[in-house]
Amino acid sequence: MSLYTAPAPNTPYGIQTPLLQINQYPLWSGYVELALYFTELAGMLMVIIALLEVAKFKSITKSGSIATFIASVLALGFFAADLGRPEEGIFAPIRAIQFFPYSWMARGVIFVSGLLLFSFVYMVMKILNKGGRITTLVVAILGLFAGIFSTTYSGFELAATTGVPFWNNGAIPLLYLSDGVFVATALAYILAFFIKSEEGARVRFLMVRLQFYSSIAVLSSWFLFMATVNYLYVFNQVAFYYMLSTSSFALDIGLTGIVVVLSGFSTMPTFGFLMKGVQIGGIMDLPSTIKYIMLATAIIALIAGFLTRADILLAGQYAYQLAPMTPFQLTNSQPVPIGAFGWRG
């Protein structure tokens, strides 16, 4: 019998053995929620920083490069903590190459590895002020693509996990992408909050508007996901109502709604007089009250963004533990179980 059909310890052999082996344990621990969260945070912050690099911003790109690299390291650290065999992570990118055409997990390993590499190189170039304009732009753009793919791959991975029908939903990649923009914008605003120059003021204006539109995208993606759950699978309905009953989902939607209201109040034309700015130390900046309100809003967005990742994972795993199914991704030849490549055990 293979690894995924062997009997669990102290359980009898028989036809029910595969279900006992697979379904009595969660697919992933809480470390994965944190790992995916910091991956989207690093990935989309790298995208924002790369675009600001093209626009020739200096202060925010320097501090943002450091934040991006730290978030990338935290993502890999939580992945390693979940795997339980950190040494496997050293060889993971090489071993994942052969599965790249077939598995979103393999693609994710390569994307995240690229994000870590490009964010590190970019950070060093910004701190040491070396490399020249063209080289810096090339590294930033490479980091941009790695960031987008790192943010969205997990959404495609869940959507391709045929053993958990609740995750077989095309809205998950869209939800994860919008959530990545949502949290990265919040962190970018926090970084810009402490920049006193005109550049900091310009970034704050930009991030407030982006925070509003990304929060609308998150709520829209949530609606699309919830509206397209396939009830032909009874366990989808179980997961659906389980998620609706959890306090974390209610808190997630509530906090995102608060961000919509506060950022929208500061963005929409009806309240445009609040966003015209005031002269502070010779710099056209947000009014102090709005600036601090948006700081609080950014912190709220960071919390809500984590809950979005966690809610999808928890609801899917809850239904998975009740259903007689296995967490397979299909390849051109045979299923590839989640947790393949020897990273678990």
Side-chain angles (χ1 to χ4, degrees):
M1 303 179 76
S2 69
L3 173 63
Y4 295 94
T5 56
N10 301 318
T11 58
Y13 287 84
I15 193 168
Q16 294 297 317
T17 295
L19 304 185
L20 293 171
Q21 170 66 23
I22 297 173
N23 286 39
Q24 67 177 325
Y25 306 113
L27 290 174
W28 291 305
S29 71
Y31 289 130
V32 171
E33 299 166 12
L34 291 167
L36 294 179
Y37 174 67
F38 282 109
T39 297
E40 72 171 351
L41 190 61
M44 294 315 295
L45 183 60
M46 185 69 233
V47 172
I48 292 173
I49 295 303
L51 294 175
L52 292 176
E53 177 66 41
V54 173
K56 298 183 178 180
F57 286 82
K58 295 182 179 179
S59 299
I60 186 66
T61 53
K62 183 176 181 179
S63 58
S65 67
I66 298 173
T68 300
F69 179 70
I70 292 174
S72 300
V73 171
L74 287 173
L76 289 178
F78 283 116
F79 274 128
D82 175 72
L83 297 173
R85 295 169 60 186
E87 68 277 5
E88 291 289 344
I90 299 175
F91 306 102
I94 297 175
R95 298 175 64 182
I97 291 175
Q98 62 179 312
F99 294 99
F100 186 86
Y102 317 121
S103 171
W104 277 104
M105 175 173 284
R107 294 166 191 149
V109 170
I110 295 174
F111 294 152
V112 175
S113 299
L115 174 61
L116 180 66
L117 173 63
F118 295 128
S119 64
F120 174 73
V121 174
Y122 181 71
M123 178 188 68
V124 171
M125 295 173 67
K126 297 301 293 186
I127 292 176
L128 300 180
N129 196 24
K130 301 291 185 180
R133 176 65 179 167
I134 299 300
T135 305
T136 302
L137 281 175
V138 170
V139 174
I141 296 301
L142 290 174
L144 179 148
F145 286 109
I148 293 175
F149 294 141
S150 296
T151 300
T152 56
Y153 92 87
S154 54
F156 287 105
E157 179 183 349
L158 295 186
T161 306
T162 55
V164 186
F166 185 70
W167 288 339
N168 299 160
N169 192 312
I172 294 183
L174 181 61
L175 176 60
Y176 277 12
L177 177 61
S178 57
D179 190 57
V181 178
F182 184 59
V183 296
T185 300
L187 183 54
Y189 179 88
I190 293 174
L191 295 174
F193 181 85
F194 298 99
I195 298 176
K196 305 301 182 182
S197 64
E198 181 181 358
E199 176 185 314
R202 292 170 61 193
V203 174
R204 285 190 288 272
F205 272 102
L206 178 62
M207 292 303 119
V208 168
R209 287 168 169 78
L210 188 56
Q211 188 76 89
F212 172 66
Y213 295 119
S214 63
S215 61
I216 291 292
V218 169
L219 290 180
S220 300
S221 301
W222 262 124
F223 178 82
L224 179 62
F225 172 79
M226 301 296 280
T228 53
V229 172
N230 185 357
Y231 284 123
L232 292 178
Y233 292 93
V234 64
F235 296 104
N236 282 2
Q237 192 169 3
V238 169
F240 181 86
Y241 287 111
Y242 169 77
M243 186 163 67
L244 289 181
S245 69
T246 60
S247 58
S248 63
F249 178 73
L251 182 61
D252 182 4
I253 299 300
L255 292 179
T256 305
I258 291 174
V259 175
V260 171
V261 172
L262 293 180
S263 59
F265 187 83
S266 303
T267 303
M268 297 302 288
T270 305
F271 307 100
F273 67 94
L274 293 172
M275 293 294 291
K276 288 181 180 179
V278 295
Q279 288 286 341
I280 301 178
I283 300 173
M284 186 63 69
D285 201 352
L286 293 172
S288 295
T289 301
I290 297 297
K291 188 160 54 174
Y292 281 95
I293 289 176
M294 292 313 303
L295 178 63
T297 302
I299 295 173
I300 291 173
L302 290 175
I303 298 172
F306 168 74
L307 293 176
T308 294
R309 290 273 179 168
D311 288 334
I312 292 290
L313 286 175
L314 289 176
Q317 292 193 152
Y318 176 79
Y320 158 74
Q321 288 178 288
L322 299 178
M325 302 174 184
T326 54
F328 286 142
Q329 294 184 81
L330 296 180
T331 71
N332 66 336
S333 57
Q334 61 182 356
V336 175
I338 290 180
F341 317 126
W343 294 336
R344 284 190 179 279

